[in-house]
Amino acid sequence: EDPLWGAVVTAYMKELLGHNQWIEFFAEGSRSRTGRVMPARIGLLKVCVEALAVGSVKEIFVVPAALSYERCLEGSSHINELTGVRKTKESLPALIRASPSALSNNLGATHLSFGNPIRLSDMLLKDKANDSGDAKIMRVTRQLAYDIGQGMVNGLRVTTTGILAGVLLRKGGKF
């Protein structure tokens, strides 16, 4: 991670929050090919919690969102990787080459659902530990990350592809 990049993004986020701007970002930082909810990355979440804790903003609401769809866009390449073929590095030229065929594919039904809004001020108040500062901010940020993941899981639709993936990926299970 580049410290300069982190400082610039943090300053930009704080500026947006200070001006009560809506901010959208993907807390997972990446997507899962299996549909499994990945743990939230806490960097940008921590910036939000810090801004509220120091009084830069009056309130922040976080709304978990889940996007689920029937078919994995990169299904064939994922199967190749599972059999030992090296993953092709993603690049802009590769994205441009793949776009026409990817956009013409039928990915099945797509579902977008939203979890209950999370009020960050309530999370800060609920934290009853006697410490303050960085320890409290990190604890609340980790709890926020967990709550976002739960909100996403609760909003996911059960699809036939998801059920099949769950059966095939079952640990230690036998057919």
Side-chain angles (χ1 to χ4, degrees):
E1 303 271 339
D2 182 1
L4 177 60
W5 175 252
V8 169
V9 171
T10 298
Y12 181 64
M13 286 280 294
K14 288 180 178 178
E15 184 71 20
L16 290 173
L17 290 168
H19 285 91
N20 295 318
Q21 296 294 312
W22 289 78
I23 300 172
E24 173 188 357
F25 60 89
F26 301 91
E28 292 178 284
S30 183
R31 59 191 162 72
S32 162
R33 291 178 176 183
T34 62
R36 182 172 165 229
V37 175
M38 298 177 66
R41 302 178 87 187
I42 61 172
L44 295 178
L45 296 176
K46 183 178 176 214
V47 172
C48 294
V49 174
E50 282 176 339
L52 186 64
V54 300
S56 299
V57 295
K58 293 179 184 173
E59 185 61 84
I60 295 177
F61 288 91
V62 176
V63 181
L67 179 65
S68 49
Y69 45 91
E70 286 288 331
R71 184 170 164 250
C72 178
L73 183 61
E74 303 154 319
S76 59
S77 64
H78 184 60
I79 291 169
N80 290 339
E81 291 162 28
L82 291 173
T83 59
V85 177
R86 250 199 134 127
K87 183 179 186 297
T88 306
K89 187 169 174 72
E90 295 175 0
S91 66
L92 183 58
L95 175 67
I96 292 169
R97 281 192 307 273
S99 293
S101 64
L103 293 174
S104 65
N105 284 341
N106 180 0
L107 299 179
T110 303
H111 306 279
L112 175 62
S113 47
F114 299 93
N116 293 326
I118 301 167
R119 179 181 281 218
L120 287 190
S121 62
D122 288 349
M123 292 189 74
L124 285 169
L125 290 173
K126 284 180 191 174
D127 186 70
K128 301 293 183 189
N130 292 328
D131 60 353
S132 60
D134 288 342
K136 180 178 182 114
I137 287 171
M138 283 307 297
R139 196 172 40 257
V140 171
T141 301
R142 285 190 180 102
Q143 183 62 49
L144 174 61
Y146 176 81
D147 291 352
I148 289 170
Q150 288 302 301
M152 291 170 61
V153 167
N154 293 340
L156 287 174
R157 299 280 179 110
V158 176
T159 63
T160 53
T161 304
I163 293 170
L164 181 59
V167 168
L168 294 175
L169 296 172
R170 199 173 100 182
K171 290 185 180 179
K174 296 185 179 188
F175 295 104

